[in-house]
Each structure stands twice: as structure tokens, then as C-alpha cells.
């Protein structure tokens, strides 16, 4: 065991003890990890990343990923500039990038969609376990060319290594990790083994995570929420509120694992992986008043296949074929034990990429992507109709070096068709297209400027078209709109970056101009004693700025001291009369940190100030400011 980590995590504010072990078998010492606080990391999930992308990106791997690991993929990356996370207790957290969330942010496992139903509702967890990740890559801004027209906000790609691409240097390599948190008696265990013999490489991993309801300071509901519900005050001025000192419904239990196998030769590789995940977690919220909280019982079985061929055809340097097949379901169980709603999602996705040799000076890749999703929700609280959604897309991305600068370009055409099972609902289909142009200008050996312009369009998802029912997790009655059209967005971004021996800087200014932006608005009427929210369209604009910097203050022998800082903010508005604020807009943040390393010892303390958010949409409460302090050793 070589690392011991103590972490203070917010909002539960608990201490985490981590023991991580990297080992090999065959009597050889493990290779020491190369360490550099200011090390530049490249994105491997993008065919144009070798020379650097015009698009803003984040990579978490190695020690940096270990420090930031949390129970959900959203919480793991939420402290990166420009990235936030939705939250519905400890188990649920989906990324929010540049203010975009839901279907506008694509969450993937090894370049294939998670194929869960986390897009459907804010109380549904993603089926990607952060503790088995090798690395997490985030592409900020429109990533519609490579991964689908819906990814206007960005892409989060979790690389697991479950399908080996090469035979490891050692017969057996692995790592294991155990964590404990005193709040909620949280325990986490995860381990993986990778090995190979001859031309065959194999992979095994497994994980288990358990937690009770976690302790909180004060009431589970905010003062504004309690006041709106007309809570009766007890003697002494405190409301008669049962949920105090603990958050009901924040318990969780998650376990799973995978096995992978690949055949590797001089021509390339071919492999498959089979994974299984099961979870049971509570649903915090006001719908649990007096009766206890419902729970969600989820399971997923997934088969992944991949093959890569070197020099498959004249003029092409590589071919990659990737596919995933998914069987997902979860039951929402009422406090009394009966199943309220059963969600099922049978889906598959496949993509083919061909990287071509330079044509008129342009390096690039062609690709085709296909997917099919059969989604159903059956039960008393089924708020959206069963629907079969199919997608077909074709894309090209390319890059050309002009000496003093380089250009990146690309295009994508996509067809999306939705076929609901209810005869009363109309079939819908959409044709979308996207274009991108990026400019990368090296100003010196350390400074670099990039400009990115994207035009992209997104087809509505089935939930936006066909919802019609009570959604108790969000305390609303959701109404879809089959008349919705595609939404389109013009995204402009400029990034200035510096990377030197002693300090680094990255700052991005971006603007997203939407036409026919799809959103929910409060109709002002109640259905089944719930406020009714209708999907509608209007023009919208997002403008944001983010920056981060790190400075190596000094080094003394094996000791290094560095400081870091970050800031992000975003403004958004709808082109409507009256309240033009967009729902659930992330607040501004500013942070600073101090890191010290002495040989194998690492220590850091980070402070984040999250501002209040008063630019709220109708039926939303303002949120107060708060501070987050984390220590690591």
C-alpha cells in the first residue's frame, strides 16, 4: 500500500481514507509514475488531438483523478472550471458543461453512450462507475461532429480499459482501492487486474459501494421551501419538520464488475467486454414526507465490442469498429414496498472510424454512427410514453497545418426518428447537420491561442416530445410537445493558454446563440395537485468565462510547492417577455489552492467560494452562497 489519502468532502463534509495499491507479479518492480504538477495531458478520445485541439478540454488521470474521485461521474469532475453537476443525493450526479445539461451533454464509456436513462430524469443515476476509470476526458462546447448532434454542451468520455488494446508489459498488473467515510458509514472497494500471455490480453474489475443516509447540519429542506409549505412553528420558533440532522433517502448500495478479452497482433486487435452493474439507492425529496422515501432498484448488463486494424486500405492508416449492447431496467419502489414505475431501456450503438492519410494537406477521419433505443416506463408514475428512437449519422473531421497556424474542420449529417408505442401519439423524424471550424495559433513555444466556431442542430428527445404525466421526483406534472422542431446553436469560443516550466494558464470566453431552444416553463396550472410544466421553444443566449492557473512557487530537493486558482461564471437568458431567466443556471465560482509534494508525500488544501444564484426562473427559489474546503494528504 503506497498512498494514504484523507479528504474532506462537501456537502456531507466527511473524511475519506484511501489506500491504493499498484502491483505487478513476476518479481519485477513497478515502473515509477512520472510526476509533474504542470504536465500537459493529451486527449486520446479525439482523432485530431495529437497536435492539440481548438476545443477546450479537461483530462483527469492518475494522481489527479484519484484526488477528485467521488460517487458519481458528475461529482468527480464538478470542480473543473466550466463544469458543474446535478445532484439528487449521493448516488446521482450528471455533468453540466457551460450551463448545458441533460440531452445536451453526452456521457460515454469508451466512446459509446452510457445507454442508461439518466437523461430522462434528474433522479436517475448514470451507470458509469468512476472508481474503475483509467481516465476521464471532457470536451467542452459543441462535440456534435464525433458523437452525435445532441452533444451541443459537450462530451464526457470515461476510459475504462475493459477492452485491452495491447498486451501489458507484465504478466499481471493491477490496482486496488479501499475508502471509508465516517458520515453515513460510507465504504468503497474497487480493484482491477490486467494481464496477458502471448497475443491475448485480459481484464478483470469489480467494485462495491455502500452508504447509509448521511448527516446534515439542520433541516433537509431550505428555509424558503419550508416557508412556502406553510410549516407550523413550534414553541421556540422552529418549524415542525421531521427531516432534520439527516437527509432521508440518501442511502445507496452499488456493486458490479467486468471481464474483458482481446486478441492482439501486428495487424491490430479485436476484443470484447461484458459488464454488470446493480444499484439500490434512495430518492431524497419532499415527496417522502411522513411516509418514508422511495427507492430506486437498478440493474444493467452491457456487452462491448471493439476492433482496430492498422493500414486497412490504401490511403487509410487505421480502422476502428466499436459497438455496445445494453439491457437496462430500474424499478422505482414506493415506501410501502410496491413498484410504482418500471423503466426499461434496451439499446445498442455502433460506430466505425477510418483515419485517412493526408489529402490536399488535410489529415482526418471519416465515421458512421448508428444507434437504437427502445425505452419504456410503465406504472402509476410513468410520466413519459414508451418510444423507439433510432439515429443514423455520418461525419468527417480534419486538420491541416499551415506552418504558423493550423485549421480544424468537420461536418456531420444525422437522421433521428422517434416511434412511440401509443397510437394516439405521432411518429416524428428530424434531419440535423453540424459544421465546425477551429483555428490553433502557437504564439510562442509556451503561448497558444485558439478560436472555435460551431453550428449544430439537435433533435428533440422522446421525453421532450411525449411526456404526459406526474413526475414526483421533481414534484411536477410534465407535458411534452410533439410539435417541437430541431433546436440549433451557434457556438463561438476563444481560448488563451500558456504552459511553461513554472506556471500554466488557460482562459476561455464562449458564447452560445440558440434558435428554438427547448426548455420547460411553468404553465401556472395544477394537474393532479402538481404544477404543470410544458416543453416549449424560444431563442436563448449563453455567455460564459472560465479560467484556471497554477504556479510552481519553488522546489527544494524532492519538495515542490505550488499554488492554483480558478474562476467561472455564466449568464443566460431566453428571448421571452417577462421572466427571461433560464432554469437551473449554475452560479459563479472562484477558488484557490495550495499543493506540497515531498517525495512520495502529497498534501493539498483547496478552497472554493460558490456565489448565490438569484437569476432564477419561475417556480425556482434563489440559492445562497456557500464555501467548500477540501484537504488531502
Amino acid at each position: 500500500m503506497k498512498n494514504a489519502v484523507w479528504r474532506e468532502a462537501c456537502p456531507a463534509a466527511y473524511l475519506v481514507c484511501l489506500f491504493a495499491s499498484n502491483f505487478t507479479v513476476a518479481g519485477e518492480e513497478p515502473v515509477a509514475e512520472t510526476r509533474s504538477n504542470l504536465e500537459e495531458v493529451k486527449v486520446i478520445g479525439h482523432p485530431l488531438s495529437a497536435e492539440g485541439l481548438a476545443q477546450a478540454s479537461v483530462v483527469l488521470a492518475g494522481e489527479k483523478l484519484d484526488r477528485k474521485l467521488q460517487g458519481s461521474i458528475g461529482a468527480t469532475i464538478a470542480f473543473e472550471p466550466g463544469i458543474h453537476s446535478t445532484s439528487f443525493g449521493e448516488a446521482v450526479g450528471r455533468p453540466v458543461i457551460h450551463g448545458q445539461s441533460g440531452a445536451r451533454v453526452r456521457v460515454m464509456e469508451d466512446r459509446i453512450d452510457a445507454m442508461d436513462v439518466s437523461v430522462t430524469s434528474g433522479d436517475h443515476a448514470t451507470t458509469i462507475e468512476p472508481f474503475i476509470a483509467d481516465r476521464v476526458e471532457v470536451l467542452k462546447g459543441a462535440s456534435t461532429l464525433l458523437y452525435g448532434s445532441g452533444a451541443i454542451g459537450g462530451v464526457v468520455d470515461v476510459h475504462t480499459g475493459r477492452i485491452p488494446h495491447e498486451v501489458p508489459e507484465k504478466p499481471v498488473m493491477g490496482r486496488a482501492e479501499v475508502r471509508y467515510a465516517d458520515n453515513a458509514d460510507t465504504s468503497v472497494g474497487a480493484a482491477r487486474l490486467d494481464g496477458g500471455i502471448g497475443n491475448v490480453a485480459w481484464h478483470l474489475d469489480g467494485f462495491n459501494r455502500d452508504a447509509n443516509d448521511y448527516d446534515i447540519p439542520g433541516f433537509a429542506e431550505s428555509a424558503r421551501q419550508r416557508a412556502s409549505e406553510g410549516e407550523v412553528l413550534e414553541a421556540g420558533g422552529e418549524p415542525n419538520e421531521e427531516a432534520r440532522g439527516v437527509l432521508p433517502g440518501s442511502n445507496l448500495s452499488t456493486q458490479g464488475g467486468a471481464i474483458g478479452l482481446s486478441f492482439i497482433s501486428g495487424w491490430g486487435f479485436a476484443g470484447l467486454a461484458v459488464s454488470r452493474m446493480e444499484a439500490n439507492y434512495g430518492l431524497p425529496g419532499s415527496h417522502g414526507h411522513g411516509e418514508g422515501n422511495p427507492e430506486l432498484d437498478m440493474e444493467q448488463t452491457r456487452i462491448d465490442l471493439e476492433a482496430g486494424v492498422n493500414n486497412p486500405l490504401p490511403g487509410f492508416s487505421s480502422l476502428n469498429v466499436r459497438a455496445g449492447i445494453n439491457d437496462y431496467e430500474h424499478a422505482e419502489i414506493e415506501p410501502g414496498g410496491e413498484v410504482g414505475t418500471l423503466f426499461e431501456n434496451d439499446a445498442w450503438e455502433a460506430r466505425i472510424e477510418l483515419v485517412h492519410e493526408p489529402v490536399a494537406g488535410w489529415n482526418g477521419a471519416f465515421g458512421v454512427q448508428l444507434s437504437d433505443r427502445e425505452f419504456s416506463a410503465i406504472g402509476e408514475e410513468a410520466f413519459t410514453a414508451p418510444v423507439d428512437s433510432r439515429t443514423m449519422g455520418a461525419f468527417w473531421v480534419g486538420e491541416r497545418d499551415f506552418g504558423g497556424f493550423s485549421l480544424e474542420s468537420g461536418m456531420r449529417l444525422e437522421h433521428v426518428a422517434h416511434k412511440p408505442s401509443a397510437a394516439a401519439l405521432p411518429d416524428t423524424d428530424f434531419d440535423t447537420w453540424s459544421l465546425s471550424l477551429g483555428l490553433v495559433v502557437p504564439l510562442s513555444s509556451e503561448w497558444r491561442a485558439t478560436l472555435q466556431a460551431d453550428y449544430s442542430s439537435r433533435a428533440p428527445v422522446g421525453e421532450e416530445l411525449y411526456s404526459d404525466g406526474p413526475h414526483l421526483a421533481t414534484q411536477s406534472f410534465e407535458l411534452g410537445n410533439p410539435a417541437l422542431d430541431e433546436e440549433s446553436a451557434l457556438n463561438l469560443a476563444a481560448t488563451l493558454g500558456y504552459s511553461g516550466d513554472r506556471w500554466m494558464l488557460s482562459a476561455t470566453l464562449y458564447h452560445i446563440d440558440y434558435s428554438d431552444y427547448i426548455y420547460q416553463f411553468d404553465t401556472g396550472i395544477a394537474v393532479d395537485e402538481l404544477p404543470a410544466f410544458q416543453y416549449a421553444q424560444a431563442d436563448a443566449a449563453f455567455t460564459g468565462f472560465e479560467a484556471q492557473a497554477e504556479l510552481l512557487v519553488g522546489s527544494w530537493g524532492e519538495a515542490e510547492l505550488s499554488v492554483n486558482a480558478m474562476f467561472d461564471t455564466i449568464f443566460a437568458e431566453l428571448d421571452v417577455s417577462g421572466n427571461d431567466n433560464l432554469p437551473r443556471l449554475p452560479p459563479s465560482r472562484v477558488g484557490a489552492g495550495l499543493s506540497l509534494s515531498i517525495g512520495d508525500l502529497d498534501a493539498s488544501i483547496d478552497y472554493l467560494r460558490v456565489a448565490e444564484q438569484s437569476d432564477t426562473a419561475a417556480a425556482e427559489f434563489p440559492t445562497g452562497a456557500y464555501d467548500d474546503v477540501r484537504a488531502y494528504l
Side-chain angles (χ1 to χ4, degrees):
M1 302 296 180
K2 79 172 191 179
N3 294 321
V5 179
W6 297 88
R7 186 202 311 251
E8 183 177 346
C10 182
Y14 52 71
L15 290 176
V16 177
C17 176
L18 160 69
F19 297 96
S21 176
N22 298 302
F23 55 87
T24 62
V25 175
E28 298 187 55
E29 292 294 324
V31 179
E33 179 182 304
T34 301
R35 296 179 50 189
S36 173
N37 289 335
L38 307 181
E39 182 181 3
E40 182 180 1
V41 216
K42 294 181 179 179
V43 177
I44 63 175
H46 196 294
L48 304 183
S49 63
E51 301 303 323
L53 292 172
Q55 187 172 20
S57 60
V58 171
V59 176
L60 297 181
E63 185 76 14
K64 187 176 181 181
L65 177 59
D66 286 342
R67 292 192 186 199
K68 294 180 179 289
L69 276 175
Q70 297 291 322
S72 68
I73 192 63
T76 296
I77 63 176
F79 288 84
E80 298 300 312
I83 305 174
H84 297 74
S85 176
T86 63
S87 179
F88 217 98
E90 278 287 284
V92 180
R94 208 172 193 279
V96 179
I97 304 176
H98 288 177
Q100 315 301 303
S101 59
R104 297 182 185 92
V105 173
R106 191 170 173 91
V107 180
M108 304 184 301
E109 181 177 314
D110 298 312
R111 299 183 300 119
I112 291 290
D113 193 85
M115 296 187 287
D116 50 36
V117 296
S118 59
V119 170
T120 304
S121 174
D123 63 321
H124 297 167
T126 61
T127 55
I128 296 177
E129 177 57 51
F131 288 95
I132 54 91
D134 277 337
R135 57 194 282 133
V136 179
E137 298 181 350
V138 183
L139 298 177
K140 303 177 186 177
S143 302
T144 60
L145 301 181
L146 285 172
Y147 299 113
S149 64
I152 291 177
V155 160
V156 179
D157 191 9
V158 180
H159 295 263
T160 66
R162 284 175 162 173
I163 300 179
H165 288 191
E166 57 187 22
V167 178
E169 295 179 358
K170 311 293 192 303
V172 179
M173 303 174 66
R175 66 175 187 259
E177 183 171 66
V178 176
R179 299 181 180 224
Y180 174 77
D182 67 336
N183 195 342
D185 286 331
T186 303
S187 61
V188 179
R192 66 178 293 163
L193 291 173
D194 296 275
I197 182 170
N199 289 0
V200 177
W202 53 267
H203 166 93
L204 291 172
D205 71 61
F207 56 89
N208 185 83
R209 184 157 47 98
D210 289 289
N212 300 322
D213 290 343
Y214 59 75
D215 297 334
I216 57 174
F219 297 101
E221 292 184 349
S222 68
R224 292 187 178 99
Q225 176 69 21
R226 300 197 308 275
S228 73
E229 295 174 347
E231 293 283 357
V232 179
L233 295 182
E234 298 175 338
E238 293 187 349
N240 184 12
E241 164 70 52
E242 294 181 3
R244 183 180 185 183
V246 68
L247 182 62
S250 58
N251 59 294
L252 64 92
S253 175
T254 303
Q255 52 277 326
I259 180 172
L261 196 67
S262 291
F263 178 80
I264 298 158
S265 184
W267 55 264
F269 73 95
L272 66 86
V274 179
S275 59
R276 173 76 174 177
M277 183 176 185
E278 298 177 356
N280 182 279
Y281 59 90
L283 298 177
S286 58
H287 55 289
H289 267 320
E291 302 177 355
N293 286 74
E295 292 191 342
L296 192 149
D297 191 29
M298 180 267 288
E299 57 185 40
Q300 181 192 49
T301 301
R302 174 170 168 147
I303 301 173
D304 288 279
L305 305 99
E306 185 176 10
V309 181
N310 303 319
N311 303 310
L313 297 168
F316 293 92
S317 58
S318 68
L319 165 69
N320 184 273
V321 180
R322 180 78 174 85
I325 305 168
N326 174 75
D327 180 10
Y328 172 100
E329 71 173 37
H330 82 243
E332 298 190 354
I333 303 170
E334 299 301 320
E338 66 275 9
V339 175
T341 309
L342 179 65
F343 287 82
E344 294 184 342
N345 195 55
D346 294 328
W348 62 264
E349 182 176 306
R351 56 186 296 116
I352 301 173
E353 291 180 17
L354 264 171
V355 178
H356 64 76
E357 301 288 353
V359 177
W362 287 85
N363 297 297
F366 294 96
V368 175
Q369 183 176 343
L370 306 172
S371 67
D372 184 275
R373 174 186 186 236
E374 295 182 7
F375 167 80
S376 67
I378 302 171
E380 294 181 0
E381 299 174 13
F383 61 92
T384 186
V387 60
D388 185 2
S389 301
R390 297 183 179 182
T391 302
M392 298 180 291
F395 63 87
W396 173 81
V397 292
E399 173 187 59
R400 180 175 176 181
D401 186 8
F402 288 87
F405 65 94
S406 62
L407 286 179
E408 299 172 2
S409 184
M411 63 185 69
R412 183 184 181 100
L413 300 175
E414 190 165 286
H415 179 76
V416 179
H418 300 295
K419 184 179 179 61
S421 61
L425 296 175
D427 296 351
T428 55
D429 61 272
F430 306 89
D431 293 305
T432 64
W433 58 280
S434 305
L435 294 172
S436 177
L437 182 65
L439 172 67
V440 181
V441 183
L443 303 177
S444 69
S445 59
E446 294 89 10
W447 287 95
R448 192 181 76 153
T450 67
L451 297 173
Q452 179 89 6
D454 299 276
Y455 174 84
S456 51
S457 52
R458 180 182 76 88
V461 296
E463 293 80 1
E464 295 167 333
L465 294 165
Y466 305 119
S467 291
D468 185 13
H471 191 181
L472 297 187
T474 58
Q475 288 290 284
S476 63
F477 194 99
E478 297 197 3
L479 298 169
N481 185 352
L484 292 176
D485 202 354
E486 303 97 337
E487 68 176 19
S488 59
L490 177 62
N491 179 73
L492 303 173
T495 299
L496 180 65
Y498 176 90
S499 180
D501 293 333
R502 298 190 63 85
W503 65 283
M504 63 80 65
L505 167 72
S506 177
T508 300
L509 177 67
Y510 60 90
H511 178 78
I512 311 172
D513 193 26
Y514 276 99
S515 296
D516 297 325
Y517 180 85
I518 299 172
Y519 70 103
Q520 284 182 306
F521 74 96
D522 186 2
T523 63
I525 62 174
V527 180
D528 292 346
E529 301 181 351
L530 294 171
F533 285 80
Q534 171 83 55
Y535 281 100
Q537 290 184 288
D539 294 346
F542 292 75
T543 302
F545 176 76
E546 63 190 48
Q548 63 178 333
E550 185 174 357
L551 170 65
L552 180 61
V553 176
S555 58
W556 306 269
E558 290 189 342
E560 289 186 353
L561 179 67
S562 61
V563 296
N564 62 79
M566 65 85 72
F567 172 76
D568 60 17
T569 188
I570 185 169
F571 305 92
E573 61 180 7
L574 282 166
D575 187 10
V576 297
S577 59
N579 188 339
D580 61 358
N581 293 324
L582 277 146
R584 299 168 185 165
L585 188 67
S588 301
R589 304 179 299 181
V590 60
L594 187 68
S595 298
L596 174 68
S597 65
I598 306 175
D600 288 332
L601 175 67
D602 292 299
S604 66
I605 184 167
D606 293 286
Y607 167 75
L608 185 70
R609 174 68 175 178
V610 181
E612 65 178 5
Q613 180 57 277
S614 56
D615 295 332
T616 53
E620 282 188 330
F621 289 133
T623 57
Y626 66 89
D627 302 299
D628 185 287
V629 180
R630 298 173 180 239
Y632 175 98
L633 178 64

